[in-house]
Amino acid sequence: MIRYRCDKCGCSMTADDPRRFIVKMEIYAAAAPLEFHESDLVKDHTEEINSLVEQLSNANPDEIEDQTYRALRFDLCRECQRKLLNKPLG
Ligand SMILES: [Zn+2]
């Protein structure tokens, strides 16, 4: 039998435990819609792209992901689920 632990308090639960809740979170950058103009299409972006590639090749992949998108998943017991619902941002 698969056992789960509450990611908050550590109590033990089974896969079909009615006290077990799954929390999924997505955190992503709130970027404005992109706007393109005709001048953007004729401009040479080679230097800009090369600079960006250079920056990314030296960056930590986890830090890059944290700046754009991160998906998290937690198992919670009923008590910790209720505490989260009452105060989602801690
Ligand atoms: Zn708990």
Side-chain angles (χ1 to χ4, degrees):
M1 177 186 300
I2 298 174
R3 303 292 300 182
Y4 290 87
R5 289 206 171 274
C6 173
D7 288 313
K8 184 73 174 164
C9 73
C11 74
S12 182
M13 301 173 287
T14 60
D16 60 348
D17 195 322
R19 299 171 303 139
R20 180 175 161 251
F21 292 83
I22 297 171
V23 178
K24 293 182 178 180
M25 298 173 64
E26 288 183 294
I27 304 168
Y28 51 90
L34 295 176
E35 287 186 29
F36 294 99
H37 302 283
E38 191 167 334
S39 61
D40 295 318
L41 299 176
V42 295
K43 181 182 170 189
D44 182 3
H45 296 278
T46 304
E47 186 176 324
E48 187 179 350
I49 291 171
N50 287 339
S51 174
L52 188 57
V53 169
E54 176 70 23
Q55 290 174 28
L56 291 173
S57 67
N58 296 322
N60 179 329
D62 287 337
E63 288 180 18
I64 294 170
E65 187 176 6
D66 285 348
Q67 293 174 17
T68 55
Y69 178 83
R70 179 68 77 168
L72 304 167
R73 182 189 180 282
F74 302 99
D75 291 298
L76 293 181
C77 69
R78 183 182 306 274
E79 184 176 332
C80 291
Q81 178 257 9
R82 286 183 178 153
K83 288 178 182 175
L84 175 68
L85 290 175
N86 285 334
K87 203 170 182 182
L89 297 179

